[in-house]
């Protein structure tokens, strides 16, 4: 009887540990499990969360911080292009991920159009008439990464 209680307790502890660790595992390997639209959605969710809420003064700049460099959602070549673009700005510019100077309150990700190892995903923002087209490539490892964003 004591052995059963001990096993039941061990099982409960194991389930709690697995449940607590699951989000951590999901966050570190999530990029490899996402389709193109989900990759775009995850990137913009991170990006807007990083920025915070400019209206409340809780604002961080992922461009000035170059925080995007660590994103698994962006292809290394695209990161290099963004770096070069930001370095070329003199006293102003725009956000190459939002294709705007201001931060939208909402971003809506549409359905991906996939052609082989390439995909395009339409994105609209809370700005009237403002839309983006996000291009992604699927690497040999099966991970979709953003390779370009255009207006």
């Amino acid at each position: 009887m004591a052995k059963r209680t001990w096993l039941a307790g061990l099982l409960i502890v194991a389930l709690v540990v697995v449940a607590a660790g699951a989000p951590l595992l999901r966050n570190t390997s999530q990029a490899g499990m996402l389709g193109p639209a989900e990759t775009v959605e995850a990137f913009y969710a991170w990006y807007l969360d990083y920025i915070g809420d400019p209206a409340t003064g809780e604002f961080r700049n992922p461009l000035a911080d170059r925080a995007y460099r660590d994103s698994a959602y962006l292809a290394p070549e695209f990161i290099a292009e963004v770096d070069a673009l930001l370095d070329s700005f003199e006293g102003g510019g725009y956000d190459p991920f939002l294709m705007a100077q201001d931060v939208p309150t909402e971003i809506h990700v549409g359905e991906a159009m996939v052609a082989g190892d390439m995909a395009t995903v339409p994105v609209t923002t809370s700005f009237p008439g403002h839309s983006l087209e996000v291009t992604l490539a699927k690497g040999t490892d099966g991970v979709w990464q953003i390779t370009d964003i255009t207006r």
Side-chain angles (χ1 to χ4, degrees), residues 104-118:
T105 55
E106 294 178 18
I107 289 184
H108 302 280
V109 176
E111 287 189 42
M113 294 163 276
V114 180
D117 289 342
M118 299 296 294

Side-chain angles (χ1 to χ4, degrees), residues 14-100:
L15 289 173
V16 168
V17 168
V18 168
L24 236 134
L25 292 172
R26 206 170 27 253
N27 288 339
T28 58
S29 64
Q30 183 178 15
M33 299 184 302
L34 301 177
E38 293 83 11
T39 298
V40 171
E41 196 168 292
F43 172 74
Y44 280 112
W46 168 81
Y47 197 74
L48 292 179
D49 185 58
Y50 187 93
I51 290 172
D53 186 0
T56 64
E58 297 176 25
F59 176 77
R60 295 183 296 170
N61 188 331
L63 301 176
D65 297 345
R66 304 282 171 127
Y68 60 88
R69 287 180 172 167
D70 297 325
S71 176
Y73 305 116
L74 303 176
E77 301 81 19
F78 186 51
I79 292 171
E81 287 177 30
V82 171
D83 282 346
L85 177 67
L86 294 178
D87 291 343
S88 75
F89 290 157
E90 292 181 23
Y94 65 94
D95 185 315
F97 300 112
L98 299 173
M99 294 300 217

